[in-house]
Amino acid sequence: MTQALVNGLTLGAVYALVALGYSMVYGILGMINFAHGEIYMLGAFHGILALAFAQHYLANFSPVVCLLGALVLAMLFCGGYGFTLERIAYRPLRHAPVLSPLISAIGMSFLLQNYVMVAQGSGIRGFPMEFGRRLTETRFSAFAGAEFSLLEVFILATSLLCMAGLHLYIYRSKMGKAMRATSQDRRMASLLGVDVDRVISATFIAGSALAAVAGVMVSMYVHAVKFNDGYIMGMKAFTAAVLGGIGNIPGAMLGGVLLGVVENIGIWFLGAGYKDAYSFIVLLLVLIVLPRGILGEQVSDKV
Amino acid sequence: MSRRFFLTAAWLGALTWPVLGTAAALKLALVVSLIPAALGCWNALRRAAVVPCRGLWAALEAASGRIPPRFQIWGLAAFLCVAPLFLRHQTKYINLATDTLIMVLLALGLNIVLGMAGLFMLGYAAFYAIGAYAFAILSLKFQVPFWGGLVAGAAAAALVGFVVGLPSLRLRGDYLAIVTLGLGETIRYIIKNEEWLTGGTFGCPSRPVFISFGLEPYSRKIGSPRFFGWPAAVESIHYYFLALAMVALSVVAMQRLSNSRIGRAWVALREDETAAQAAGVPTVWAKLSAFTLSAVWAGMAGVLYAAKQKFLAPEIFDFNLSALVLSMVVLGGMGSIPGVVLGAVVLQMIPWFLRDFFPEFQNYRLLIYGGLMVLMMIWRPQGLWPNTRRKIELQEETDAVA
């Protein structure tokens, strides 16, 4: 039971990172970025590819440096993918009827998923574990017989660090101020001199970079990644975002952690066969019982 | 213009370099930077060809205008009935045609909920799976004949469709898409996990027992079934005609549905739910009936598939199938019956015809369809063969924006 809590907390922190991307985009554009899960998957692939490169060519660097380098590279490239995604698939449709950007987002999700499948194969791609061995092998025993590894601590710490960084970015930087203004009233913000296009691009880049961090860490935690991993992760992160109140950033964090814990307790009680179905059930219940989410303030007309 | 394309090409090449590798990323960049040149060539070609082409088009239109539309339809029907008779022993063509017809049924079903009622549903493959599995289990365990299985499969799908439709009473747009996707996935997990019922990952055989109009039951002793008393030596053609009849009936039913009271209620719902409700459209009933009917069509397609294939593997009913059906509806034109049929036929036939020249197309299929969906939304949101009413609306909307 406590073990389930510990694992749930770790996974939940990762869900929260991906959920932040959904929440930020929803807050500003009022739409769900269906392809966000694929960005997470791309992040995992970039991390693994960078580490595979390091394994061959940078063998005498310390694993920690390689790992951090891979993390940064994945963030950079995923930021690029997020930016490109918005430019190609969403910007031309900003004034189109509601269904159009949704279909375009789903199309983009197929495109990215199959692009990785064609380029990298449809099999499982393993994480080069010599970079993470130290992290997985150091284990601590916690309260009540539960055990956790250094990797779990690393994932939790990195996630918290990213969330704190995002919080600072949104509440302290000029761009963050512009983001908040845009999410309140896009038209008014643009009248007051905020470059809305730039703000939207920045939102996509920031959200995608967070998803990349999540991707690298999860691929290290479960030792592998597959081209269609993004879609299940996207569903779960979306559930987390809705659970916490969509458009609300602390809510996304809370929702992610709650979902991770619920899922792991569900596995503990009911077995792993329906592991991925729990989040759908949670999503459905939340949307019916508490459509605003836990921390959501305003009633959205979408629900 | 070309400078912009050059920058885009360099950007895309750099971005895709880690995933694609150097050679493929360079190729991609090259292709993107050649787009302006290709567009220029295309425009020049069009300008050069516009006069002869227009003449040809006008001649074709005049020729088809001379034949009354009723004869055109009967001619098509006659072709679809007679042509396969000459290909009776070429099972692969007959199978291709049957598969295409099954996809047409699926696309028509999705069109009810997506095109007519404007409710977004992902995870459509789940209803198809329910129809197929209901038929397989009934035929295997209770020797239920085909027609009984058809009714039962459609009813089972309808029941689940009704339940999946319930959240639509409170959710709109993107939320509905995700919830229906989640419910569809849950159904797939049930199929995968409940081995005692569905065979789980091992798959599930089905044993179609046909009672055709000659009342000739299928059995090992008697051999192949009879169709109108005619011994159908090639079984696949039997299924072809069954599918053809179902598609023909469905097209007629859809046409009548879209002009009926409920069809108009769906259009009103699609355009503006609040206004529809204010005008007295029973929105609860309209939404639930859209989901239920749409599931009925998927269930029938599933029954047909199970009877034809005689074996169900759970992987077939995954998200890719839902994606495929969705792209068929989007490509053809949401809400347009001929458009949806066209979309299904085109997207189902292309990979088959390309597989000799371009054997890897199967892998690239969803990549291309995904890109196609994005491009369609940007340049031609009404689809290839649009619904007249919808076309006018979309034009008005773009005019209003411009």
Side-chain angles (χ1 to χ4, degrees), chain A residues 32 84 97 110-111 115 120 231 246 273-274 276 284 287-288 302, chain B residues 11 16 19 170 172 174-175 179 185 189 193-194 323 367 397:
Chain A
I32 294 168
T84 317
F110 302 158
L111 183 109
Y115 148 77
Q120 297 285 325
Y231 137 71
I246 195 149
Y274 288 103
D276 294 327
L284 201 62
L287 281 175
I288 288 168
K302 298 271 168 188
Chain B
W11 169 254
T16 54
V19 173
R170 295 198 52 171
R172 285 184 195 180
D174 336 23
Y175 282 88
V179 167
E185 279 297 296
Y189 286 124
N193 281 311
E194 302 304 319
L367 176 84
E397 258 173 82

PDB file of all heavy atoms in Angstrom, chain A residues 32 84 97 110-111 115 120 231 246 273-274 276 284 287-288 302, chain B residues 11 16 19 170 172 174-175 179 185 189 193-194 323 367 397:
ATOM      1  N   ILE A  32      -7.790  21.835 -26.802  1.00  0.00           N
ATOM      2  CA  ILE A  32      -6.947  20.769 -26.288  1.00  0.00           C
ATOM      3  C   ILE A  32      -5.935  20.416 -27.364  1.00  0.00           C
ATOM      4  O   ILE A  32      -6.290  20.131 -28.498  1.00  0.00           O
ATOM      5  CB  ILE A  32      -7.792  19.548 -25.919  1.00  0.00           C
ATOM      6  CG1 ILE A  32      -8.693  19.915 -24.749  1.00  0.00           C
ATOM      7  CG2 ILE A  32      -6.922  18.391 -25.543  1.00  0.00           C
ATOM      8  CD1 ILE A  32      -9.740  18.904 -24.483  1.00  0.00           C
ATOM      9  N   THR A  84       6.800  24.224 -34.105  1.00  0.00           N
ATOM     10  CA  THR A  84       6.455  23.902 -35.488  1.00  0.00           C
ATOM     11  C   THR A  84       5.019  23.402 -35.590  1.00  0.00           C
ATOM     12  O   THR A  84       4.278  23.763 -36.510  1.00  0.00           O
ATOM     13  CB  THR A  84       7.417  22.828 -36.018  1.00  0.00           C
ATOM     14  OG1 THR A  84       8.726  23.170 -35.604  1.00  0.00           O
ATOM     15  CG2 THR A  84       7.365  22.739 -37.510  1.00  0.00           C
ATOM     16  N   PRO A  97     -14.073  27.167 -37.623  1.00  0.00           N
ATOM     17  CA  PRO A  97     -15.052  26.544 -36.721  1.00  0.00           C
ATOM     18  C   PRO A  97     -14.384  25.551 -35.772  1.00  0.00           C
ATOM     19  O   PRO A  97     -13.318  25.014 -36.083  1.00  0.00           O
ATOM     20  CB  PRO A  97     -15.996  25.813 -37.672  1.00  0.00           C
ATOM     21  CG  PRO A  97     -15.768  26.403 -38.997  1.00  0.00           C
ATOM     22  CD  PRO A  97     -14.434  27.021 -39.023  1.00  0.00           C
ATOM     23  N   PHE A 110      -1.508  11.643 -35.462  1.00  0.00           N
ATOM     24  CA  PHE A 110      -1.195  10.455 -36.283  1.00  0.00           C
ATOM     25  C   PHE A 110       0.115  10.665 -37.004  1.00  0.00           C
ATOM     26  O   PHE A 110       0.932   9.757 -37.134  1.00  0.00           O
ATOM     27  CB  PHE A 110      -2.226  10.199 -37.384  1.00  0.00           C
ATOM     28  CG  PHE A 110      -3.614  10.015 -36.927  1.00  0.00           C
ATOM     29  CD1 PHE A 110      -4.664  10.221 -37.790  1.00  0.00           C
ATOM     30  CD2 PHE A 110      -3.888   9.622 -35.648  1.00  0.00           C
ATOM     31  CE1 PHE A 110      -5.954  10.059 -37.389  1.00  0.00           C
ATOM     32  CE2 PHE A 110      -5.173   9.458 -35.234  1.00  0.00           C
ATOM     33  CZ  PHE A 110      -6.207   9.681 -36.109  1.00  0.00           C
ATOM     34  N   LEU A 111       0.272  11.883 -37.532  1.00  0.00           N
ATOM     35  CA  LEU A 111       1.456  12.167 -38.345  1.00  0.00           C
ATOM     36  C   LEU A 111       2.717  11.973 -37.530  1.00  0.00           C
ATOM     37  O   LEU A 111       3.635  11.254 -37.941  1.00  0.00           O
ATOM     38  CB  LEU A 111       1.371  13.602 -38.865  1.00  0.00           C
ATOM     39  CG  LEU A 111       2.499  14.005 -39.769  1.00  0.00           C
ATOM     40  CD1 LEU A 111       1.985  14.142 -41.175  1.00  0.00           C
ATOM     41  CD2 LEU A 111       3.143  15.296 -39.358  1.00  0.00           C
ATOM     42  N   TYR A 115       5.400   9.072 -38.005  1.00  0.00           N
ATOM     43  CA  TYR A 115       6.706   9.563 -38.428  1.00  0.00           C
ATOM     44  C   TYR A 115       7.798   8.887 -37.600  1.00  0.00           C
ATOM     45  O   TYR A 115       8.796   8.389 -38.136  1.00  0.00           O
ATOM     46  CB  TYR A 115       6.700  11.080 -38.289  1.00  0.00           C
ATOM     47  CG  TYR A 115       7.974  11.794 -37.953  1.00  0.00           C
ATOM     48  CD1 TYR A 115       8.938  12.002 -38.925  1.00  0.00           C
ATOM     49  CD2 TYR A 115       8.183  12.318 -36.693  1.00  0.00           C
ATOM     50  CE1 TYR A 115      10.092  12.700 -38.614  1.00  0.00           C
ATOM     51  CE2 TYR A 115       9.316  13.022 -36.382  1.00  0.00           C
ATOM     52  CZ  TYR A 115      10.278  13.202 -37.346  1.00  0.00           C
ATOM     53  OH  TYR A 115      11.411  13.888 -37.046  1.00  0.00           O
ATOM     54  N   GLN A 120      12.005   5.189 -36.818  1.00  0.00           N
ATOM     55  CA  GLN A 120      12.711   4.488 -35.751  1.00  0.00           C
ATOM     56  C   GLN A 120      12.226   3.063 -35.538  1.00  0.00           C
ATOM     57  O   GLN A 120      12.705   2.385 -34.636  1.00  0.00           O
ATOM     58  CB  GLN A 120      12.543   5.267 -34.433  1.00  0.00           C
ATOM     59  CG  GLN A 120      13.155   6.641 -34.451  1.00  0.00           C
ATOM     60  CD  GLN A 120      14.666   6.574 -34.343  1.00  0.00           C
ATOM     61  OE1 GLN A 120      15.212   5.720 -33.675  1.00  0.00           O
ATOM     62  NE2 GLN A 120      15.344   7.467 -35.031  1.00  0.00           N
ATOM     63  N   TYR A 231       0.283   8.327 -26.767  1.00  0.00           N
ATOM     64  CA  TYR A 231      -1.157   8.511 -26.794  1.00  0.00           C
ATOM     65  C   TYR A 231      -1.796   8.164 -25.440  1.00  0.00           C
ATOM     66  O   TYR A 231      -2.629   8.926 -24.922  1.00  0.00           O
ATOM     67  CB  TYR A 231      -1.661   7.731 -28.012  1.00  0.00           C
ATOM     68  CG  TYR A 231      -2.881   6.916 -27.915  1.00  0.00           C
ATOM     69  CD1 TYR A 231      -4.114   7.524 -27.816  1.00  0.00           C
ATOM     70  CD2 TYR A 231      -2.809   5.550 -27.983  1.00  0.00           C
ATOM     71  CE1 TYR A 231      -5.237   6.756 -27.775  1.00  0.00           C
ATOM     72  CE2 TYR A 231      -3.927   4.792 -27.951  1.00  0.00           C
ATOM     73  CZ  TYR A 231      -5.138   5.385 -27.840  1.00  0.00           C
ATOM     74  OH  TYR A 231      -6.247   4.618 -27.787  1.00  0.00           O
ATOM     75  N   ILE A 246      -8.893  22.407 -15.505  1.00  0.00           N
ATOM     76  CA  ILE A 246      -8.075  22.698 -16.686  1.00  0.00           C
ATOM     77  C   ILE A 246      -7.860  24.200 -16.837  1.00  0.00           C
ATOM     78  O   ILE A 246      -8.712  25.006 -16.482  1.00  0.00           O
ATOM     79  CB  ILE A 246      -8.689  22.065 -17.952  1.00  0.00           C
ATOM     80  CG1 ILE A 246      -7.664  22.067 -19.080  1.00  0.00           C
ATOM     81  CG2 ILE A 246      -9.945  22.772 -18.371  1.00  0.00           C
ATOM     82  CD1 ILE A 246      -7.791  20.928 -20.029  1.00  0.00           C
ATOM     83  N   GLY A 273      -4.160  -5.671 -15.210  1.00  0.00           N
ATOM     84  CA  GLY A 273      -4.755  -5.861 -16.539  1.00  0.00           C
ATOM     85  C   GLY A 273      -5.462  -4.620 -17.038  1.00  0.00           C
ATOM     86  O   GLY A 273      -5.409  -4.293 -18.219  1.00  0.00           O
ATOM     87  N   TYR A 274      -6.136  -3.920 -16.151  1.00  0.00           N
ATOM     88  CA  TYR A 274      -6.884  -2.731 -16.554  1.00  0.00           C
ATOM     89  C   TYR A 274      -6.161  -1.451 -16.166  1.00  0.00           C
ATOM     90  O   TYR A 274      -6.776  -0.412 -16.013  1.00  0.00           O
ATOM     91  CB  TYR A 274      -8.275  -2.751 -15.921  1.00  0.00           C
ATOM     92  CG  TYR A 274      -9.185  -3.770 -16.537  1.00  0.00           C
ATOM     93  CD1 TYR A 274      -9.455  -4.957 -15.911  1.00  0.00           C
ATOM     94  CD2 TYR A 274      -9.748  -3.522 -17.779  1.00  0.00           C
ATOM     95  CE1 TYR A 274     -10.280  -5.901 -16.496  1.00  0.00           C
ATOM     96  CE2 TYR A 274     -10.574  -4.449 -18.370  1.00  0.00           C
ATOM     97  CZ  TYR A 274     -10.835  -5.636 -17.723  1.00  0.00           C
ATOM     98  OH  TYR A 274     -11.648  -6.558 -18.313  1.00  0.00           O
ATOM     99  N   ASP A 276      -4.435   0.854 -17.570  1.00  0.00           N
ATOM    100  CA  ASP A 276      -4.609   2.107 -18.291  1.00  0.00           C
ATOM    101  C   ASP A 276      -6.058   2.556 -18.324  1.00  0.00           C
ATOM    102  O   ASP A 276      -6.336   3.690 -18.712  1.00  0.00           O
ATOM    103  CB  ASP A 276      -4.068   1.966 -19.702  1.00  0.00           C
ATOM    104  CG  ASP A 276      -2.567   1.765 -19.683  1.00  0.00           C
ATOM    105  OD1 ASP A 276      -1.924   2.324 -18.783  1.00  0.00           O
ATOM    106  OD2 ASP A 276      -2.052   1.041 -20.550  1.00  0.00           O
ATOM    107  N   LEU A 284     -13.927  10.189 -16.549  1.00  0.00           N
ATOM    108  CA  LEU A 284     -15.368  10.216 -16.751  1.00  0.00           C
ATOM    109  C   LEU A 284     -16.074  10.680 -15.482  1.00  0.00           C
ATOM    110  O   LEU A 284     -16.956  11.541 -15.515  1.00  0.00           O
ATOM    111  CB  LEU A 284     -15.825   8.802 -17.124  1.00  0.00           C
ATOM    112  CG  LEU A 284     -17.140   8.727 -17.844  1.00  0.00           C
ATOM    113  CD1 LEU A 284     -17.044   9.456 -19.157  1.00  0.00           C
ATOM    114  CD2 LEU A 284     -17.522   7.291 -18.061  1.00  0.00           C
ATOM    115  N   LEU A 287     -15.530  14.397 -14.930  1.00  0.00           N
ATOM    116  CA  LEU A 287     -16.278  15.259 -15.841  1.00  0.00           C
ATOM    117  C   LEU A 287     -17.752  15.272 -15.493  1.00  0.00           C
ATOM    118  O   LEU A 287     -18.447  16.259 -15.726  1.00  0.00           O
ATOM    119  CB  LEU A 287     -16.093  14.780 -17.283  1.00  0.00           C
ATOM    120  CG  LEU A 287     -14.760  15.198 -17.900  1.00  0.00           C
ATOM    121  CD1 LEU A 287     -14.602  14.583 -19.268  1.00  0.00           C
ATOM    122  CD2 LEU A 287     -14.658  16.700 -18.005  1.00  0.00           C
ATOM    123  N   ILE A 288     -18.256  14.173 -14.927  1.00  0.00           N
ATOM    124  CA  ILE A 288     -19.675  14.138 -14.628  1.00  0.00           C
ATOM    125  C   ILE A 288     -19.960  14.750 -13.257  1.00  0.00           C
ATOM    126  O   ILE A 288     -20.897  15.522 -13.089  1.00  0.00           O
ATOM    127  CB  ILE A 288     -20.199  12.688 -14.726  1.00  0.00           C
ATOM    128  CG1 ILE A 288     -20.224  12.300 -16.206  1.00  0.00           C
ATOM    129  CG2 ILE A 288     -21.583  12.553 -14.129  1.00  0.00           C
ATOM    130  CD1 ILE A 288     -20.424  10.852 -16.463  1.00  0.00           C
ATOM    131  N   LYS A 302     -17.356  24.647 -22.132  1.00  0.00           N
ATOM    132  CA  LYS A 302     -17.095  23.384 -22.814  1.00  0.00           C
ATOM    133  C   LYS A 302     -17.691  22.228 -22.040  1.00  0.00           C
ATOM    134  O   LYS A 302     -17.872  21.158 -22.563  1.00  0.00           O
ATOM    135  CB  LYS A 302     -15.580  23.154 -22.945  1.00  0.00           C
ATOM    136  CG  LYS A 302     -14.883  24.189 -23.751  1.00  0.00           C
ATOM    137  CD  LYS A 302     -14.867  23.813 -25.207  1.00  0.00           C
ATOM    138  CE  LYS A 302     -14.411  25.016 -26.002  1.00  0.00           C
ATOM    139  NZ  LYS A 302     -14.526  24.826 -27.410  1.00  0.00           N
TER     140      LYS A 302
ATOM    141  N   TRP B  11      14.941  24.640 -41.230  1.00  0.00           N
ATOM    142  CA  TRP B  11      14.408  24.422 -39.872  1.00  0.00           C
ATOM    143  C   TRP B  11      13.894  22.998 -39.715  1.00  0.00           C
ATOM    144  O   TRP B  11      14.231  22.286 -38.759  1.00  0.00           O
ATOM    145  CB  TRP B  11      13.309  25.456 -39.611  1.00  0.00           C
ATOM    146  CG  TRP B  11      12.491  25.196 -38.388  1.00  0.00           C
ATOM    147  CD1 TRP B  11      11.223  24.733 -38.352  1.00  0.00           C
ATOM    148  CD2 TRP B  11      12.892  25.375 -37.017  1.00  0.00           C
ATOM    149  NE1 TRP B  11      10.800  24.611 -37.054  1.00  0.00           N
ATOM    150  CE2 TRP B  11      11.807  24.995 -36.217  1.00  0.00           C
ATOM    151  CE3 TRP B  11      14.064  25.822 -36.405  1.00  0.00           C
ATOM    152  CZ2 TRP B  11      11.846  25.058 -34.831  1.00  0.00           C
ATOM    153  CZ3 TRP B  11      14.098  25.869 -35.018  1.00  0.00           C
ATOM    154  CH2 TRP B  11      13.004  25.496 -34.257  1.00  0.00           C
ATOM    155  N   THR B  16      14.248  17.508 -37.621  1.00  0.00           N
ATOM    156  CA  THR B  16      14.003  16.079 -37.774  1.00  0.00           C
ATOM    157  C   THR B  16      15.300  15.273 -37.828  1.00  0.00           C
ATOM    158  O   THR B  16      15.254  14.051 -37.885  1.00  0.00           O
ATOM    159  CB  THR B  16      13.206  15.806 -39.055  1.00  0.00           C
ATOM    160  OG1 THR B  16      13.905  16.415 -40.134  1.00  0.00           O
ATOM    161  CG2 THR B  16      11.820  16.351 -38.972  1.00  0.00           C
ATOM    162  N   VAL B  19      15.833  12.229 -35.357  1.00  0.00           N
ATOM    163  CA  VAL B  19      14.933  11.097 -35.508  1.00  0.00           C
ATOM    164  C   VAL B  19      15.121  10.429 -36.869  1.00  0.00           C
ATOM    165  O   VAL B  19      15.176   9.208 -36.970  1.00  0.00           O
ATOM    166  CB  VAL B  19      13.464  11.548 -35.327  1.00  0.00           C
ATOM    167  CG1 VAL B  19      12.512  10.419 -35.640  1.00  0.00           C
ATOM    168  CG2 VAL B  19      13.248  12.009 -33.905  1.00  0.00           C
ATOM    169  N   ARG B 170     -23.602  16.069 -21.389  1.00  0.00           N
ATOM    170  CA  ARG B 170     -23.016  17.141 -20.588  1.00  0.00           C
ATOM    171  C   ARG B 170     -21.742  17.704 -21.181  1.00  0.00           C
ATOM    172  O   ARG B 170     -21.256  18.725 -20.705  1.00  0.00           O
ATOM    173  CB  ARG B 170     -22.718  16.618 -19.173  1.00  0.00           C
ATOM    174  CG  ARG B 170     -23.986  16.246 -18.449  1.00  0.00           C
ATOM    175  CD  ARG B 170     -23.791  16.145 -16.981  1.00  0.00           C
ATOM    176  NE  ARG B 170     -23.169  17.319 -16.389  1.00  0.00           N
ATOM    177  CZ  ARG B 170     -23.066  17.491 -15.090  1.00  0.00           C
ATOM    178  NH1 ARG B 170     -23.554  16.592 -14.282  1.00  0.00           N
ATOM    179  NH2 ARG B 170     -22.473  18.552 -14.609  1.00  0.00           N
ATOM    180  N   ARG B 172     -19.034  18.825 -24.460  1.00  0.00           N
ATOM    181  CA  ARG B 172     -18.994  19.271 -25.847  1.00  0.00           C
ATOM    182  C   ARG B 172     -17.582  19.185 -26.392  1.00  0.00           C
ATOM    183  O   ARG B 172     -16.620  19.167 -25.632  1.00  0.00           O
ATOM    184  CB  ARG B 172     -19.436  20.733 -25.942  1.00  0.00           C
ATOM    185  CG  ARG B 172     -20.913  20.902 -25.792  1.00  0.00           C
ATOM    186  CD  ARG B 172     -21.280  22.352 -25.997  1.00  0.00           C
ATOM    187  NE  ARG B 172     -22.629  22.578 -25.499  1.00  0.00           N
ATOM    188  CZ  ARG B 172     -23.216  23.756 -25.540  1.00  0.00           C
ATOM    189  NH1 ARG B 172     -22.584  24.793 -26.033  1.00  0.00           N
ATOM    190  NH2 ARG B 172     -24.430  23.897 -25.092  1.00  0.00           N
ATOM    191  N   ASP B 174     -14.017  19.019 -27.587  1.00  0.00           N
ATOM    192  CA  ASP B 174     -12.792  18.276 -27.300  1.00  0.00           C
ATOM    193  C   ASP B 174     -12.985  17.289 -26.155  1.00  0.00           C
ATOM    194  O   ASP B 174     -12.453  16.188 -26.186  1.00  0.00           O
ATOM    195  CB  ASP B 174     -11.648  19.202 -26.906  1.00  0.00           C
ATOM    196  CG  ASP B 174     -11.802  20.601 -27.414  1.00  0.00           C
ATOM    197  OD1 ASP B 174     -12.943  20.995 -27.685  1.00  0.00           O
ATOM    198  OD2 ASP B 174     -10.799  21.312 -27.497  1.00  0.00           O
ATOM    199  N   TYR B 175     -13.777  17.685 -25.158  1.00  0.00           N
ATOM    200  CA  TYR B 175     -13.982  16.805 -24.015  1.00  0.00           C
ATOM    201  C   TYR B 175     -14.681  15.531 -24.439  1.00  0.00           C
ATOM    202  O   TYR B 175     -14.330  14.432 -24.034  1.00  0.00           O
ATOM    203  CB  TYR B 175     -14.828  17.513 -22.956  1.00  0.00           C
ATOM    204  CG  TYR B 175     -14.055  18.499 -22.146  1.00  0.00           C
ATOM    205  CD1 TYR B 175     -13.918  19.803 -22.557  1.00  0.00           C
ATOM    206  CD2 TYR B 175     -13.463  18.099 -20.967  1.00  0.00           C
ATOM    207  CE1 TYR B 175     -13.199  20.698 -21.812  1.00  0.00           C
ATOM    208  CE2 TYR B 175     -12.750  18.990 -20.210  1.00  0.00           C
ATOM    209  CZ  TYR B 175     -12.618  20.292 -20.638  1.00  0.00           C
ATOM    210  OH  TYR B 175     -11.910  21.178 -19.904  1.00  0.00           O
ATOM    211  N   VAL B 179     -13.410  11.669 -24.041  1.00  0.00           N
ATOM    212  CA  VAL B 179     -14.169  10.700 -23.255  1.00  0.00           C
ATOM    213  C   VAL B 179     -14.568   9.510 -24.118  1.00  0.00           C
ATOM    214  O   VAL B 179     -14.452   8.351 -23.696  1.00  0.00           O
ATOM    215  CB  VAL B 179     -15.398  11.374 -22.627  1.00  0.00           C
ATOM    216  CG1 VAL B 179     -16.357  10.349 -22.091  1.00  0.00           C
ATOM    217  CG2 VAL B 179     -14.951  12.282 -21.508  1.00  0.00           C
ATOM    218  N   GLU B 185     -11.324   2.758 -25.648  1.00  0.00           N
ATOM    219  CA  GLU B 185     -10.140   2.038 -25.174  1.00  0.00           C
ATOM    220  C   GLU B 185     -10.515   1.063 -24.071  1.00  0.00           C
ATOM    221  O   GLU B 185      -9.999  -0.054 -24.019  1.00  0.00           O
ATOM    222  CB  GLU B 185      -9.112   3.038 -24.625  1.00  0.00           C
ATOM    223  CG  GLU B 185      -8.277   3.689 -25.681  1.00  0.00           C
ATOM    224  CD  GLU B 185      -7.418   2.689 -26.430  1.00  0.00           C
ATOM    225  OE1 GLU B 185      -6.541   2.073 -25.820  1.00  0.00           O
ATOM    226  OE2 GLU B 185      -7.646   2.525 -27.629  1.00  0.00           O
ATOM    227  N   TYR B 189      -9.787  -2.883 -23.747  1.00  0.00           N
ATOM    228  CA  TYR B 189      -9.137  -3.573 -22.622  1.00  0.00           C
ATOM    229  C   TYR B 189      -9.984  -4.748 -22.165  1.00  0.00           C
ATOM    230  O   TYR B 189      -9.462  -5.795 -21.801  1.00  0.00           O
ATOM    231  CB  TYR B 189      -8.912  -2.622 -21.448  1.00  0.00           C
ATOM    232  CG  TYR B 189      -7.797  -1.652 -21.675  1.00  0.00           C
ATOM    233  CD1 TYR B 189      -7.994  -0.300 -21.583  1.00  0.00           C
ATOM    234  CD2 TYR B 189      -6.538  -2.116 -22.009  1.00  0.00           C
ATOM    235  CE1 TYR B 189      -6.980   0.588 -21.814  1.00  0.00           C
ATOM    236  CE2 TYR B 189      -5.508  -1.238 -22.249  1.00  0.00           C
ATOM    237  CZ  TYR B 189      -5.731   0.111 -22.151  1.00  0.00           C
ATOM    238  OH  TYR B 189      -4.730   0.974 -22.397  1.00  0.00           O
ATOM    239  N   ASN B 193      -8.706  -8.518 -21.938  1.00  0.00           N
ATOM    240  CA  ASN B 193      -8.493  -9.125 -20.626  1.00  0.00           C
ATOM    241  C   ASN B 193      -9.445 -10.257 -20.297  1.00  0.00           C
ATOM    242  O   ASN B 193      -9.074 -11.162 -19.557  1.00  0.00           O
ATOM    243  CB  ASN B 193      -8.597  -8.060 -19.535  1.00  0.00           C
ATOM    244  CG  ASN B 193      -7.321  -7.254 -19.445  1.00  0.00           C
ATOM    245  OD1 ASN B 193      -6.253  -7.811 -19.388  1.00  0.00           O
ATOM    246  ND2 ASN B 193      -7.445  -5.947 -19.459  1.00  0.00           N
ATOM    247  N   GLU B 194     -10.671 -10.202 -20.818  1.00  0.00           N
ATOM    248  CA  GLU B 194     -11.655 -11.222 -20.432  1.00  0.00           C
ATOM    249  C   GLU B 194     -11.509 -12.420 -21.357  1.00  0.00           C
ATOM    250  O   GLU B 194     -12.308 -12.629 -22.266  1.00  0.00           O
ATOM    251  CB  GLU B 194     -13.065 -10.642 -20.469  1.00  0.00           C
ATOM    252  CG  GLU B 194     -13.271  -9.434 -19.588  1.00  0.00           C
ATOM    253  CD  GLU B 194     -12.924  -9.677 -18.127  1.00  0.00           C
ATOM    254  OE1 GLU B 194     -13.244 -10.745 -17.607  1.00  0.00           O
ATOM    255  OE2 GLU B 194     -12.289  -8.792 -17.527  1.00  0.00           O
ATOM    256  N   ALA B 323      -8.817   5.912 -36.386  1.00  0.00           N
ATOM    257  CA  ALA B 323      -8.165   7.012 -37.085  1.00  0.00           C
ATOM    258  C   ALA B 323      -8.435   6.927 -38.573  1.00  0.00           C
ATOM    259  O   ALA B 323      -8.730   7.931 -39.231  1.00  0.00           O
ATOM    260  CB  ALA B 323      -6.667   6.966 -36.818  1.00  0.00           C
ATOM    261  N   LEU B 367       0.711   8.057 -41.607  1.00  0.00           N
ATOM    262  CA  LEU B 367       1.511   9.285 -41.661  1.00  0.00           C
ATOM    263  C   LEU B 367       0.932  10.228 -42.701  1.00  0.00           C
ATOM    264  O   LEU B 367       0.677  11.414 -42.439  1.00  0.00           O
ATOM    265  CB  LEU B 367       2.949   8.905 -42.015  1.00  0.00           C
ATOM    266  CG  LEU B 367       3.944  10.026 -42.230  1.00  0.00           C
ATOM    267  CD1 LEU B 367       4.482  10.464 -40.895  1.00  0.00           C
ATOM    268  CD2 LEU B 367       5.076   9.592 -43.108  1.00  0.00           C
ATOM    269  N   GLU B 397     -18.792  31.379 -43.522  1.00  0.00           N
ATOM    270  CA  GLU B 397     -17.958  31.611 -42.352  1.00  0.00           C
ATOM    271  C   GLU B 397     -16.622  32.209 -42.742  1.00  0.00           C
ATOM    272  O   GLU B 397     -16.141  33.140 -42.122  1.00  0.00           O
ATOM    273  CB  GLU B 397     -17.750  30.295 -41.597  1.00  0.00           C
ATOM    274  CG  GLU B 397     -18.626  30.225 -40.381  1.00  0.00           C
ATOM    275  CD  GLU B 397     -18.552  28.856 -39.744  1.00  0.00           C
ATOM    276  OE1 GLU B 397     -17.607  28.638 -38.996  1.00  0.00           O
ATOM    277  OE2 GLU B 397     -19.437  28.039 -40.014  1.00  0.00           O
TER     278      GLU B 397
END
